[in-house]
Amino acid sequence: MPEEFKCGYIALMGFPNVGKSTLLNRLVGEKLAITSPKPQTTRQRLLGIVNRPEAQLLFLDTPGVLDPKGALNASLVAAALKALAEADLVVWLVEPRPPAADDRVLLPQLRRLDRPLIMVINKIDTVAKPRLLPLISAYHEMFPGAPIIPLSALLGDGVAELMAEIVKLLPASPPLYPPDQETDSTERFLTAELIRERVLHHTSEEIPHAVAVQVEEFDESRRPHLVRIRAVIFVERNSQKGILIGKQGRMLKAIGAEARGEIEALLGAKVFLELWVKVWKNWRKDPKALRALGLQG
Ligand SMILES: Nc1nc2c(ncn2[C@@H]2O[C@H](COP(=O)(O)OP(=O)(O)OP(=O)(O)O)[C@@H](O)[C@H]2O)c(=O)[nH]1
Ligand SMILES: [Mg+2]
């Protein structure tokens, strides 16, 4: 091991939908986190471990920081803040747009952090090059002293530069996890997330927010020949249940087929997936439900 081995937690933070989970997957080189064009996709902290000869990087994907109204939103923000408290270093992601009012509200708080901050301007594949320079200087003005890295989490441009900057700023420490570990999440949790991602993909408006997934049975006694999984998709109202099941069960069938493919890739095993849709009235407002679904402390 080199003398100055480095290791630490890096929190990926920012407003909803800026691409934190896409960046986590890109950094880790695996699909660990689910992503979607809908805001509030991520609901819990997720650890992704990257091993380098000179460093072990412990990335924390976090829920987008948003207005903490409602019990679920409050617990999302709490999860993000908890990751922040764990972090040795913060990577703050922004859209490739000039700083807005919200950024200005956050600025003083980010400055008060007593740990290094890196600003990432993500999604640069969506802006013309000449528009990038003024953006960089606008953020530089807001965060003097912080490295500013333009990047495309989707295509990978700028990711090597970000890695190098992070390694520079990490504390010297021996590795905290074994070199073959990728995350501390259970396969059960990652499975539930992959199902939820497929639901988000097929639904719109309030349904994505009203959905929670729980794996009730995960039978791996015949692995790798077969893993039998039974999962429940919870929604808040009967009407949502009808939409999710679809005409002659078509929607649920499509969700199940796609999710099964993803879960098989995750587990490296054949999967039999049984999906049920159940109504849990207003679960998002119910602290008991949030606890049962693993969404609160
Ligand atoms: N064009 C482009 N799209 C991106 C990039 N990074 C992420 N996206 C897209 O932006 C959307 C949101 O990405 P996510 O990674 O789910 O965003 P997030 O910040 O984790 O969102 P929350 O978990 O809801 O807070 C998805 O549709 C991504 O494909 C990028 O570099 N370029
Ligand atoms: Mg996310």
Side-chain angles (χ1 to χ4, degrees), residues 96-97 121-132 135:
R97 286 196 305 256
I121 304 177
N122 191 27
K123 308 191 187 179
I124 56 162
D125 54 291
T126 64
V127 295
K129 281 243 162 65
R131 280 185 46 211
L132 212 53
L135 274 183

Side-chain angles (χ1 to χ4, degrees), residues 36 39 45-46 66 86 88 98 127 146 160 177 196 198 210 296:
S36 92
R45 153 206 180 283
L46 179 82
L66 73 173
E86 270 185 271
D88 296 291
V127 295
Y177 290 85
R196 193 163 61 85
R198 290 299 91 203
Q296 203 168 54

Side-chain angles (χ1 to χ4, degrees), residues 16-22 36 40-42 64 122 125 152-154:
N17 218 39
V18 294
K20 301 174 293 295
S21 302
T22 306
S36 92
Q40 289 177 259
T41 297
T42 304
N122 191 27
D125 54 291
S152 168
L154 197 64

Side-chain angles (χ1 to χ4, degrees), residues 4-22:
E4 265 278 277
F5 195 86
K6 293 181 155 192
C7 177
Y9 288 94
I10 305 117
L12 304 178
M13 301 191 68
F15 293 117
N17 218 39
V18 294
K20 301 174 293 295
S21 302
T22 306

Side-chain angles (χ1 to χ4, degrees), residues 90 92 103-117 119 138-146:
V90 175
W92 186 265
D103 299 296
R104 297 192 188 280
V105 172
L106 258 153
L107 168 70
Q109 307 193 26
L110 287 176
R111 275 216 193 110
R112 240 180 281 135
L113 283 179
D114 53 353
R115 67 209 87 178
L117 173 74
M119 291 291 298
Y139 281 103
H140 183 68
E141 230 169 80
M142 286 182 80
F143 299 93

Side-chain angles (χ1 to χ4, degrees), residues 34 43-44 186-199 211-216 218 229-233 259 263 266 273 275 293:
I34 64 166
R43 289 176 176 165
Q44 276 146 294
T186 61
E187 287 182 337
R188 245 181 135 99
F189 169 74
L190 297 174
T191 293
E193 286 289 89
L194 288 175
I195 296 167
R196 193 163 61 85
E197 184 188 64
R198 290 299 91 203
V199 173
V211 161
V213 177
Q214 195 168 46
V215 170
E216 291 197 325
F218 194 95
I229 297 169
R230 189 178 68 239
V232 178
I233 303 172
I263 298 163
L266 171 77
L273 178 63
L275 284 183
L293 294 165

